[in-house]
Amino acid sequence: MTTPDNTIASREARKAKIKEIVCRILEIDPAELTDTSLFKEEHDADSLRAIEILAALEREFGITIEQDELSRMVNLDGVESVVDRALPAR
């Protein structure tokens, strides 16, 4: 089964928006942030910044993310996974 182009495009747009939000909050250049670079260890993120990221994602995507998901939100891959799980099924 193939994925419709619009689904791929919306997933890429969501991923780009997540990266934009994370970079803005961590005050880093997007070129410095990879899918697997660790927010705390490589970008000096603290727990307050993690909560800011969570709140910004909730506002942007109209979702609710449980605070226990913060432990999974250590890099872009983790954040994208958490957002995907919180989005309503389509």
Side-chain angles (χ1 to χ4, degrees), residues 7 10-11 13-15 18 57-66 69 79-90:
T7 302
S10 64
R11 186 175 190 86
R14 182 170 59 247
K15 186 173 185 171
I18 290 169
L57 293 168
E58 288 182 330
R59 282 191 305 275
E60 177 66 31
F61 297 107
I63 57 176
T64 300
I65 300 171
E66 298 299 323
E69 294 282 18
V79 172
E80 186 177 10
S81 173
V82 167
V83 169
D84 285 348
R85 285 182 43 167
L87 288 169
R90 294 176 191 209

Side-chain angles (χ1 to χ4, degrees), residues 50-51 54 58 64-74 78 82 85:
I51 292 170
L54 183 144
E58 288 182 330
T64 300
I65 300 171
E66 298 299 323
Q67 288 215 356
D68 62 351
E69 294 282 18
L70 283 171
S71 64
R72 295 181 54 224
M73 296 173 59
V74 297
V82 167
R85 285 182 43 167

Side-chain angles (χ1 to χ4, degrees), residues 15-50:
K15 186 173 185 171
K17 189 63 180 176
I18 290 169
K19 185 171 184 171
E20 176 187 316
I21 289 168
V22 170
C23 287
R24 178 176 42 83
I25 291 170
L26 297 184
E27 299 176 352
I28 58 173
D29 188 277
E32 295 178 46
L33 187 63
T34 69
D35 290 347
T36 58
S37 62
L38 300 173
F39 299 157
K40 181 178 180 182
E41 291 81 352
E42 297 175 54
H43 303 293
D44 298 323
D46 59 16
S47 58
L48 180 58
R49 298 264 174 119

